[in-house]
Structures are given as C-alpha cells and as structure tokens.
Amino acid sequence: MCTCIACRHPGLFFGRNMDLDYAFGQRVMITPRGYLLHGKTEDWRTRYAMIGIGAAEAGWPLYAEAVNEKGLCMAGLNFPGNAVYGASAAGLRNLAPYELISFVLGQCGTVSQARRVLADVNLISAPFRQDLPLPTLHWMLADGSGCLVLEPLAGGLQIYENPIEVLANNPPFPYHLENLKNYRNLTADYPPSRFSAGLPLEACGVGLGGLGLPGDASSASRFVRAAFLRWNQDCPQEPAAAVSQVFHILDAVAMVRGSVRTADGNWDMTTYACCMDAERGIYYYKTYENSRLQAVSLGKENLDGTELVCYELENTQQVHWVNKRE
C-alpha cells in the first residue's frame, strides 16, 4: 500500500510513502545519461539522468519512484487484482512493468512528451527474473505543467488526467475521483452552526470543518485524506518549507507498525517516505527507523558516467543534540 502526492510551491515537489511489510533491497540510485538498459524485448540508452529509490539488480535500476534531470517525476504504487499485463504485440513498444519508470524518465522530459510515447506502450507479463514476482502496479507521473495516472487494465494501458495530484492503491483511479465527491462538505475553515437556524450550537473547539474526514489506512481513505491536506495546505513559497510540508502531509497518511496487518499476518508499515524537488534534482527521504531527513543531489554526481551510483539507506536513528551529550 502506498500514497503519492504532487505539490507546487511554486515548483514541483513530488512525494510518496512506501508502505510494505518487507524490504526489497532498496537504496538511492542515480542512473546516468546514455546508460544502456537491456530490456525484455529491446535495448535502449537513457537520454536523461535520474535519481530515486529502488533495487539494483544485474545493472538494472528497478525504481519504485524517481525524478529525472528535466524535472519529470514518476512513482509506481501497488495495484493488485486490477493490473492486467498481456503478451507482446506487433507494432507497439512492449515493456515489462519494471521497465516503465526507467524508460519514461530516461526518454521523456515532460508529461506531454511522455503521454505521446505512452500511447504506443504495451505492458507485457514478464518478470525481471523467475524468482522475482511480477509487480502489479499503477503509476503517477507529474512535471511542472500537469499530472497523469497510468493504469494497466484489460483494455490496455489507460492514461488519466489527474487534477487531484494524489494517488493511492485500489480501486482504479476513476473510483477515487468519484468517491471524493462524497466529501465536498469538508472544510478547513471554522464552520458556522448549520444544525438549525432555531438552535444555535457553540463549537467545542477548532477542526469541526473536517468532521467526517476518514482516518483509517485503507486506500480510499488515504486518498481522501491526502487530497484534503494537499488542497488545504498553507506553505511558504520556498524550497525548504515545501519539502517539510510534503513530509507533514505524508506523515498524516503513514502506517505505524502494529496498526495494519496483512492477509499473511505481517505488519504493513511506511518503510520510507520521500520528497523529490523536481527543479533542483534533490531526492529527500526518511525511513521508519530514522526520521531525520537525508538528501542526495543529482547535480553533485557525474551524469555522464557509465555505472549506476548507489547509496545505502540511513536506517539508524540520527539525533542532533542541542546541548552537550553526557
């Protein structure tokens, strides 16, 4: 389970929670320009460098999310039971699901360009290796001009405009858009009493405008809660404040270990949260074990190198001591 948001302060700040009951060897990875990728049906070289978190397998950057040097961001979120992948089709670009982020961010600089390229993409049922499960995913894609959702359904890859700039998991995206209408009465304002004109009722405190905002960890509820916070936020227009704001919103839809058990009996939890400053190419993250923000800059690496650059996650809690530690 995961939640993804795009915020504009005014540049694009793209963040997500990775909610899982296991680790997948994740690390921060930088893929340089001109990097050769051997795909299932074709090989290609990246046009643009990118940075994100994923697993590096046999030279492949298996990204969960990333941003490229042009400011295009993309994240894959769990979509079990709904994701449909087919067989290779003649005349189309046949890609395995794990290839999609690296392909789109490696070849496209904008959402509009990505949309044109994706019109010819056919996602095929091909795992990276037989011992690695086929990921069942849908994706959110954003740049400074707009946001899309990509869903592989029975009729092929569906591309939706995403004016909410939020994504969670099941059901499919059109359901979330329709369901959001049920919460149109919510407000961040201090609401007047509307119970009855003849019965004035005093408020017991602030926050009553949000009464009815769902607080559980289900996908539909996280979508509504993240959308409410994303569209009612008040944030200074500068990068440090924007990064902090994104993490505050993600914290409000995060999973605490011990609060959500999977069907297999494991604890689902927010293993990491991230925020990507698209304009500056900076990837910020924190893990469940270490709440201090870490940052890796795309601009500080050799983007014309020949190898993946990888950084292990900082998983030990770091504390800044203000007074002298005894």
Side-chain angles (χ1 to χ4, degrees), residues 19 29 147 156 160 167 174 195 229 251 253 271 282 323 325:
D19 304 327
M29 299 186 298
C147 184
Y160 305 105
L167 186 62
F195 190 87
L229 295 172
D251 284 344
V253 290
T271 59
I282 303 174
N323 59 352
R325 185 179 179 184

Side-chain angles (χ1 to χ4, degrees), residues 48-66:
Y48 304 117
M50 67 196 82
I51 182 172
I53 277 184
E57 294 284 346
W60 248 98
L62 304 177
Y63 283 112
E65 75 286 323

Side-chain angles (χ1 to χ4, degrees), residues 197-259:
L199 185 61
L201 298 175
E202 295 296 324
C204 299
V206 298
L208 290 175
L211 196 64
L213 185 67
D216 63 272
S218 68
S219 175
S221 294
R222 284 183 285 107
F223 185 97
V224 173
R225 195 158 68 254
F228 180 81
L229 295 172
R230 185 255 179 264
W231 286 97
N232 287 286
Q233 62 177 311
D234 181 17
C235 180
Q237 300 292 293
E238 59 94 11
V243 171
S244 178
Q245 188 80 334
V246 167
F247 280 105
H248 281 301
I249 296 172
L250 293 174
D251 284 344
V253 290
M255 294 185 185
V256 175
R257 182 167 51 206
S259 64

Side-chain angles (χ1 to χ4, degrees), residues 9 48 58 120-121 149 164 193 266 274 293 317:
H9 300 290
Y48 304 117
D120 295 325
V121 166
V149 168
I164 313 302
S193 175
N266 301 319
C274 71
L293 295 188
Q317 182 63 60

